[in-house]
């Protein structure tokens, strides 16, 4: 399985092409639209979410709500393009009228300046239009397809918010949930996608004050996945380790600056007997671990336990109280450009991270098992689960 996305933030369309999804997978546009709607919701989002109502269209690869095994093309129209059609026109030469929104003052922390230098763009709009997090719309769409595939073999994936700025939930609460479905019901009931009402209130207070200060704020999200077969990924080479692929996928999301598994960086302050997940065996379960401090991975391979991944999201670079910058034409000091933005995107980041984990898990499943037909894949997974349980 592989995919590519295309489109600019204010261009007419966002597009993704997925290759390698088995034939026979039942999927509807609503399966994808539900995930797109989750990405757009969340406390702290900006005005653009009031303009866009992201709806996917299947252009290729699906017939009668069933995948064909051929490349799947997903399309989401940018409603905001109606306000930018002249600025973003691909077939009209640059002129005074369609370059009115030229960007010359790069924002600290954004791709603006480095992207302009790298690609020799002297209008930094050419950078920000693609480096914008609007592109993650299609990653969530691809992730929705991946989640649908994973659900066929009993794998569930869910993301939520751990903290926004200083407002942080207590992860010990996770012990009360037997399934991710139970956890999902709780976190999706809060506008901040956190674990409890008190933290939801605290996060909203932080976001409200940050907005009053014309500032932005970051946070941390956690993604969990259950039901993955044992032994996906490999220890034989660095680039075959599944946790490494997930780490790369997480840090590849806009504004993510760190990733950890299980106990994560906290394990650096502990001793071995506090960190290693002790091994047990029962006739019912086969081999299993007594804890999950390593986040469901050993040697780059799935252990069969819950996969636990956290990602750190930096504050958004666009501040309505802009920071120091330099005009790229005159080299004179100026305040950075202002583009419409969110106070925080941590609530959306949880959905995007969830999608990226799902994509990497789906890739691992399709690398291991038959990728031509979904029913054959399910048969192979069932046989493999039985084999590993009886080891």
């Amino acid at each position: 399985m592989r995919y590519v996305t295309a489109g600019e933030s204010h261009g007419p369309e966002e597009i993704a092409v997925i290759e390698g999804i088995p034939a026979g997978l039942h999927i509807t546009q609503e399966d994808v639209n539900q995930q797109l709607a989750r990405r757009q919701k969340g406390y702290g989002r900006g005005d653009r979410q009031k303009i866009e109502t992201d709806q996917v269209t299947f252009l290729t690869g699906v017939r009668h709500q069933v995948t064909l095994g051929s490349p799947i093309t997903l399309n989401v129209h940018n409603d905001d393009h109606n306000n930018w059609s002249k600025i973003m026109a691909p077939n009209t030469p640059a002129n005074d009228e369609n370059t009115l929104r030229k960007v010359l003052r790069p924002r600290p922390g954004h791709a603006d300046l480095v992207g302009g230098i790298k690609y020799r763009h002297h209008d930094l709009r050419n950078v920000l239009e693609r480096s914008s997090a609007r592109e993650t719309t299609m990653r969530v769409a691809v992730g929705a397809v991946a989640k649908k595939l994973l659900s066929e073999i009993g794998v569930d994936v869910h993301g939520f918010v751990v903290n926004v700025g200083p407002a942080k939930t207590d992860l010990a609460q996770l012990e009360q949930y037997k399934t991710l479905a139970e956890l999902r019901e709780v976190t999706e009931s809060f506008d901040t996608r956190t674990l409890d009402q008190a933290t939801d209130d605290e996060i909203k207070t932080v976001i409200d004050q940050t907005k009053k200060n014309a500032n932005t704020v970051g946070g941390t999200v956690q993604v969990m996945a259950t039901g993955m077969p044992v032994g996906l990924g490999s220890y034989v080479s660095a680039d075959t380790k599944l946790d490494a692929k997930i780490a790369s996928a997480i840090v590849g999301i806009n504004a993510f600056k760190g990733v950890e598994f299980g106990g994560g960086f906290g394990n650096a302050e502990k001793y071995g007997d506090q960190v290693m997940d002790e091994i047990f065996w029962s006739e019912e379960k086969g081999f299993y671990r007594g804890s999950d401090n390593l986040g469901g991975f050993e040697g780059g391979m799935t252990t069969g336990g819950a996969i636990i991944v956290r990602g750190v999201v930096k504050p958004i670079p666009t501040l309505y109280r802009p920071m120091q910058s330099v005009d790229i034409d005159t080299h004179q000091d100026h305040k950075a450009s202002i583009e419409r933005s969110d106070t925080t995107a941590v609530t959306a980041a949880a959905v995007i991270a969830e999608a990226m984990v799902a994509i990497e898990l789906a890739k691992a499943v399709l690398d291991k098992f038959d990728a031509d037909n979904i029913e054959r894949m399910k048969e192979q997974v069932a046989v493999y689960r039985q084999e590993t349980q009886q080891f």
Side-chain angles (χ1 to χ4, degrees), residues 285-301:
K285 296 181 180 179
F287 287 101
Y288 66 96
R289 306 302 188 282
S291 57
D292 198 9
N293 297 311
L294 301 182
F297 287 98
E298 289 177 345
M301 301 169 291

Side-chain angles (χ1 to χ4, degrees), residues 32-296:
V32 179
N33 289 338
Q34 287 176 358
Q35 300 306 315
L36 294 178
R38 290 179 64 221
R39 175 191 170 277
Q40 291 194 278
K41 295 176 183 176
Y43 206 79
R45 302 305 307 277
D47 290 340
R48 176 147 194 188
Q49 310 314 315
K50 300 175 183 178
I51 299 172
E52 306 283 2
T53 303
D54 291 339
Q55 299 281 303
V56 75
T57 300
F58 294 147
L59 299 181
T60 68
V62 179
R63 183 176 184 231
H64 303 159
Q65 299 185 335
V66 178
T67 58
L68 301 176
S70 53
I72 299 171
T73 305
L74 308 175
N75 182 79
V76 173
H77 178 67
N78 279 336
D79 292 335
D80 200 18
H81 178 68
N82 298 332
N83 302 314
W84 291 78
S85 57
K86 291 183 179 179
I87 301 296
M88 298 302 296
N91 299 315
T92 305
N95 55 50
D96 290 342
E97 183 181 11
N98 64 23
T99 57
L100 289 174
R101 302 295 296 271
K102 192 173 184 179
V103 177
L104 299 174
R105 299 165 187 176
R107 293 161 291 175
H110 206 280
D112 298 348
L113 179 58
V114 179
I117 293 170
K118 175 179 174 64
Y119 291 102
R120 291 190 178 181
H121 287 311
H122 291 277
D123 178 357
L124 301 182
R125 179 159 301 285
N126 292 337
V127 178
L128 67 88
E129 284 292 333
R130 179 58 183 173
S131 62
S132 164
R134 177 64 182 158
E135 180 268 344
T136 61
T137 303
M138 300 319 296
R139 292 199 241 175
V140 171
V142 174
V145 178
K147 288 179 64 177
K148 186 70 173 180
L149 181 143
L150 292 170
S151 70
E152 293 288 320
I153 60 168
V155 176
D156 196 4
V157 187
H158 180 59
F160 60 91
V161 172
V162 177
N163 76 284
V164 174
K168 183 176 183 179
T169 193
D170 182 4
L171 291 177
Q173 298 176 80
L174 291 173
E175 295 178 3
Q176 65 186 294
Y177 300 109
K178 296 180 180 179
T179 66
L180 289 189
E182 293 178 6
L183 175 63
R184 182 181 295 108
E185 185 175 350
V186 172
T187 60
E188 292 294 302
S189 71
F190 296 119
D191 290 339
T192 63
R193 287 203 170 89
T194 194
L195 291 176
D196 58 90
Q197 184 66 62
T199 308
D200 178 69
D201 293 339
E202 290 175 14
I203 290 176
K204 287 179 178 177
T205 298
V206 168
I207 292 173
D208 290 345
Q209 188 59 53
T210 301
K211 186 174 183 178
K212 288 180 182 178
N213 295 340
N215 213 335
T216 59
V217 64
T220 307
V221 302
Q222 178 161 314
V223 179
M224 301 179 68
T226 57
M228 279 293 285
V230 175
L232 272 63
S234 177
Y235 61 88
V236 300
S237 299
D239 61 355
T240 61
K241 294 176 180 285
L242 182 52
D243 53 357
K245 293 179 181 180
I246 291 174
S248 176
I250 292 293
V251 177
I253 305 170
N254 308 51
F256 275 71
K257 302 299 287 185
V259 62
E260 61 180 358
F261 294 85
F265 295 112
N267 287 340
E269 301 173 1
K270 299 177 180 178
Y271 296 95
D273 59 357
Q274 298 173 300
V275 172
M276 304 311 151
D277 299 316
E278 292 187 305
I279 299 171
F280 299 88
W281 182 90
S282 73
E283 190 169 344
E284 179 185 358
K285 296 181 180 179
F287 287 101
Y288 66 96
R289 306 302 188 282
S291 57
D292 198 9
N293 297 311
L294 301 182

